Amino acid sequence: MSTTSGQHDTRASDAAYESGNGTPLVLLHGLGGNWAIWKPLLAPLAQHHRVLALTLPGHDGGPPLSGSDDARIAQLAEGVVAALKQRGIERAHFVGNSLGGWLALEMARRGHAQSVVALSPAGGWQNAADYRAIAIPFRLIFALMPLLLLLTRWLLCLPWLRRALGRKTMEHGERLSPGEFRASLRAMRRTTILPGLLRTMGRDGPIAPFSAGDVPIHIAWGSCDQVIPFDRYGASLQQTIAGARHSLIPGAGHVPMYDAPEALTTLILATTHSAEQGPAR
């Protein structure tokens, strides 16, 4: 589907959203999501960049993963690189949330990133107990999602219910429309790779140490993150990724795009601008 938004030609499908001109800026969502979670940021970012929001492989509307084995982070990273090459993109700015934050950091490790903003990235655990504290809730939500979809079918019109249901991941779930909220629940249920990816993440993770080098990397955490809280998972990344900048986003949860869209837009554009001005940060 192709539409026009302001002066930019916009192309949107289940697999990707693209709009704007300028240097490429790639948005990567979290586990169980799709590109639509970035909606509050798409228009303002497209005023400055060629914005490409991808649905990750194995997620709702995204490309399938080949093979019968459990999905791995490396496969997802290869899928992102392939999607960019199809569009003639070798290097880009990356912004990722949760699983997408881990992948954005992996793009920097592989030399594909001009800059990175990682929002509450996954991969910061230091032991098996810390990983289980993340993985078990995801497994439970995935298993219960058919029942949750059935029970809330006629009730998502209530803003207080959307806020309550989304409270684990964001502070302002009521800012999603009923249709957007239901679509986010369906996206979780349709993430067929979720159980297998949780198995391999526990085996292959956490993020291996590397240096940011000349690539500006900013790791930001929602101050109200209940899924991967900074105090338990974020502090370790300050040593894991040498040279990265770190900050907290006041009043934002694990998925901060609807909680703090203006603050995120400012942070992202400051990071991309610093990269395009040269290595001095």
Side-chain angles (χ1 to χ4, degrees), residues 99-210:
L99 170 63
W102 187 348
L103 291 170
L105 293 169
E106 184 63 22
M107 292 300 103
R109 185 199 303 277
R110 294 180 178 217
H112 297 291
Q114 190 170 353
S115 73
V116 169
V117 174
L119 306 170
S120 295
W125 60 87
Q126 294 299 298
N127 53 59
D130 282 350
Y131 178 68
R132 287 195 297 270
I134 299 172
I136 289 173
F138 270 100
R139 291 190 177 104
L140 289 174
I141 292 170
F142 183 74
L144 294 173
M145 192 54 66
L147 178 61
L148 185 59
L149 281 164
L150 179 63
L151 292 177
T152 61
R153 182 175 183 180
W154 308 111
L155 298 175
L156 289 177
C157 59
L158 301 171
W160 68 264
L161 181 61
R162 298 198 302 279
R163 180 166 185 157
L165 288 174
R167 192 57 184 271
K168 184 72 173 178
T169 56
M170 62 181 71
E171 293 294 289
H172 292 286
E174 78 279 1
R175 292 178 181 172
L176 283 77
S177 70
E180 289 171 336
F181 200 100
R182 184 168 180 81
S184 72
L185 298 180
R186 287 200 306 266
M188 171 65 77
R189 180 56 188 163
R190 294 173 179 174
T191 303
T192 56
I193 66 168
L194 187 147
L197 183 60
L198 288 175
R199 286 190 288 269
T200 63
M201 285 170 65
R203 183 189 70 211
D204 298 343
I207 296 174
F210 72 97

Side-chain angles (χ1 to χ4, degrees), residues 105 121 123-124 126 207 209-212 217-221 230-248:
L105 293 169
Q126 294 299 298
I207 296 174
F210 72 97
S211 173
I217 296 179
H218 196 130
I219 302 175
W221 235 270
F230 173 80
D231 288 345
R232 187 169 185 178
Y233 300 96
S236 67
L237 288 181
Q238 295 180 356
Q239 285 75 47
T240 299
I241 303 171
R245 298 182 62 187
H246 298 262
S247 66
L248 291 177

Side-chain angles (χ1 to χ4, degrees), residues 60-110:
D60 183 28
L65 279 178
S66 60
S68 57
D69 294 336
D70 288 344
R72 299 178 61 197
I73 290 290
Q75 282 180 288
L76 296 181
E78 290 159 8
V80 170
V81 172
L84 299 185
K85 286 185 177 179
Q86 289 174 359
R87 294 166 172 84
I89 300 172
E90 292 294 331
R91 295 183 79 236
H93 302 287
F94 287 89
V95 181
N97 174 223
S98 194
L99 170 63
W102 187 348
L103 291 170
L105 293 169
E106 184 63 22
M107 292 300 103
R109 185 199 303 277
R110 294 180 178 217

Side-chain angles (χ1 to χ4, degrees), residues 18-35:
E18 188 169 2
S19 184
N21 302 297
T23 50
L25 172 61
V26 180
L27 307 178
L28 304 174
H29 62 80
L31 180 60
N34 57 31
W35 71 256

